[in-house]
Amino acid sequence: MTVDLTAELAATRLLAIIRGTDTAAAIAAGTALLAEGVSIIEVALTTPDAPRAIEALRAVAAPGGLVGAGTVLTAADVADVAAAGAQFVVTPAVVESIGEAARRGLPVAAGALTPTEAFTAMRLGASAVKLFPASVGGPGYLRAVRDPFPDIPFVAVGGVGPAELPGYLAAGAIAVGVGGPLVGDAASGGDLDALRERARAHLAAVAGAATS
């Protein structure tokens, strides 16, 4: 069944990005995030044996939880993550994997920074645009890019933490993607208790932004 990635992101407003140096640690970090209520998780393919981590996290995710693959660049990458059970794909740029994932029915959040890239990504079949790195222009830039493209769902990624995410959501992002400020070193063997605390802080920040 095809996932409505845009609707799920708009509902939860938080995408956790796992990028680590150890497969088992990445699985443990993802498992902890899922347990804390972070329901959409991306495992970057720069993580060792990322497909195995995706498969393991799919097995423990609750109904409604989504596990996808990030840093997906090529058609071969798409084939690998699809075989592992990835439910969506994220790219860092406008690359060939967008069209291949769309052809397979895998929703794509495609990386783009400029208006031209955002438009191109959607024409290639992206479900949403990952504004990356969002910190280059901040919420004001997101707002400016959205003006001519009000129907493009933007996810702000790059330099977004609890303090910054309300600004991006207020500027019109349907969600934010958070890597380092949330996961820290947990996907490389770091403290899982600290990860759980950060997860609760991010979820609280998202909830607060929704009510403000």
Side-chain angles (χ1 to χ4, degrees):
M1 184 177 67
T2 302
V3 169
D4 189 341
L5 180 63
T6 303
E8 295 295 333
L9 286 169
T12 64
R13 314 204 80 182
L14 179 64
L15 165 68
I17 302 167
I18 293 178
R19 187 185 303 276
T21 59
D22 180 82
T23 311
I27 294 169
T31 301
L33 288 169
L34 289 167
E36 288 297 333
V38 177
S39 60
I40 306 181
I41 293 178
E42 163 197 337
V43 180
L45 289 190
T46 52
T47 302
D49 204 359
R52 180 161 70 88
I54 291 167
E55 187 174 3
L57 292 174
R58 278 294 312 272
V60 298
L66 300 180
V67 180
T71 323
V72 178
L73 303 176
T74 67
D77 288 341
V78 175
D80 289 342
V81 302
Q87 293 165 285
F88 62 90
V89 162
V90 182
T91 80
V94 180
V95 288
E96 70 177 59
S97 57
I98 299 170
E100 176 62 17
R103 185 185 70 79
R104 289 172 173 263
L106 272 176
V108 188
L113 181 61
T114 68
T116 299
E117 291 170 348
F119 179 78
T120 302
M122 295 300 290
R123 288 289 297 269
L124 289 173
S127 301
V129 166
K130 179 181 85 170
L131 188 70
F132 175 79
S135 58
V136 168
Y141 179 72
L142 168 62
R143 190 176 287 108
V145 174
R146 283 192 69 245
D147 281 347
F149 301 119
D151 295 329
I152 293 181
F154 282 96
V155 180
V157 180
V160 182
E164 295 81 21
L165 70 82
Y168 287 104
L169 296 176
I174 63 166
V176 295
V178 188
L182 170 57
V183 180
D185 63 354
S188 300
D191 188 344
L192 291 177
D193 287 335
L195 170 64
R196 293 184 183 96
E197 291 180 7
R198 292 191 297 271
R200 290 191 287 270
H202 280 78
L203 290 168
V206 169
T211 59
S212 62

